[in-house]
Amino acid sequence: ETGVTQTPRHLVMGMTNKKSLKCEQHLGHNAMYWYKQSAKKPLELMFVYNFKEQTENNSVPSRFSPECPNSSHLFLHLHTLQPEDSALYLCASSQERGLAGGIQRGANVLTFGAGSRLTVL
Amino acid sequence: QQQVKQSPQSLIVQKGGISIINCAYENTAFDYFPWYQQFPGKGPALLIAIRPDVSEKKEGRFTISFNKSAKQFSLHIMDSQPGDSATYFCAASGGTSGTYKYIFGTGTRLKVLA
């Protein structure tokens, strides 16, 4: 196990359903991420939380709603999804090492969970 | 300018052979280039990474070759084994893309035949 746990591993939902994906990290990291993985496409960054504050929303549709109650937990709330939203959703965490006045660039190592496979009917 | 182009899309190699996966980038501000390995049913895991101040980094059977002037980097897997069969992603980060925003390639599905 990587120390990043995602549940559920598989989810099938209709377009009118509301569901949530959960991610928990046991690594003591201070940053958490949601990525979308679709076949033959690069991993798409969706959201970034740093010290529980959302620092990135990569133009994600409002039918995806993230929540980060603390540095160890991250949720992705799903509602009125479309079939094209079917994909593997990956959670990741990292330890951001801050320098005075900034954050060390490109230095973090992403630790991924195993993903939640979402199918929207 | 934010893309990372990866090739080939899939690769089949005989056991003991050399697997080579290539990536190219445009943004010269990128300063960190990791490779991630993903097995079926698992999330990607960091395999090896390089910074542009060196031209090569080797860890066991895995080597990254980096050509700063050509803005290209590649992963070489020596003595490829069936256990290396996985999907490999290159990535780049740094510069204006954000301190922790990785740009990933599209992935290469490697199959090593026994």
Side-chain angles (χ1 to χ4, degrees):
Chain A
E1 296 300 324
T2 65
V4 179
T5 303
Q6 290 188 243
T7 55
R9 292 294 310 279
H10 300 273
L11 178 63
V12 179
M13 58 187 291
M15 290 191 286
T16 58
N17 291 159
K18 288 185 180 181
K19 298 286 184 182
S20 295
L21 306 181
K22 178 183 176 182
C23 177
E24 183 175 1
Q25 58 99 358
H26 306 277
L27 301 170
H29 289 167
N30 55 23
M32 298 187 76
Y33 312 73
W34 281 115
Y35 279 87
K36 177 182 179 182
Q37 185 175 25
S38 305
K40 300 183 181 179
K41 288 187 177 181
L43 273 69
E44 298 174 50
L45 179 63
M46 301 175 71
F47 301 103
V48 181
Y49 278 81
N50 198 316
F51 292 101
K52 300 187 301 178
E53 298 295 323
Q54 184 174 315
T55 56
E56 183 89 21
N57 177 338
N58 203 22
S59 301
V60 180
S62 59
R63 57 186 183 270
F64 295 91
S65 175
E67 179 189 0
C68 187
N70 54 62
S71 294
S72 299
H73 293 86
L74 185 64
F75 296 89
L76 188 63
H77 303 299
L78 317 169
H79 61 98
T80 60
L81 294 190
Q82 304 298 312
E84 59 264 29
D85 296 323
S86 298
L88 181 68
Y89 289 85
L90 291 163
C91 173
S93 69
S94 70
Q95 181 62 30
E96 287 297 300
R97 289 171 287 171
L99 299 177
I103 295 177
Q104 188 171 359
R105 291 184 179 276
N108 62 312
V109 175
L110 292 174
T111 300
F112 286 91
S116 294
R117 173 70 62 183
L118 173 66
T119 302
V120 182
L121 302 178
Chain B
Q1 209 185 25
Q2 292 291 68
Q3 284 185 332
V4 175
K5 295 182 180 179
Q6 183 172 349
S7 63
Q9 185 174 310
S10 62
L11 182 61
I12 300 175
V13 174
Q14 293 288 337
K15 179 181 176 182
I18 302 174
S19 304
I20 302 174
I21 305 170
N22 301 298
C23 283
Y25 63 97
E26 292 291 328
N27 188 344
T28 55
F30 287 145
D31 59 5
Y32 182 66
F33 302 88
W35 285 89
Y36 280 79
Q37 178 188 53
Q38 184 178 25
F39 293 105
K42 303 287 187 181
L46 178 66
L47 181 64
I48 187 172
I50 196 169
R51 294 195 180 277
D53 53 344
V54 296
S55 61
E56 186 176 283
K57 184 173 182 179
K58 184 176 181 180
E59 291 184 2
R61 296 183 294 108
F62 301 92
T63 300
I64 299 179
S65 296
F66 188 84
N67 187 329
K68 188 174 182 178
S69 61
K71 292 183 285 187
Q72 295 176 347
F73 59 110
S74 59
L75 176 69
H76 296 241
I77 306 175
M78 312 300 289
D79 187 26
S80 298
Q81 300 296 311
D84 297 330
S85 298
T87 300
Y88 293 81
F89 295 92
C90 62
S93 72
T96 57
S97 67
T99 58
Y100 37 73
K101 185 175 179 178
Y102 283 76
I103 307 298
F104 283 88
T106 51
T108 296
R109 183 170 291 184
L110 171 65
K111 184 176 179 63
V112 181
L113 302 177

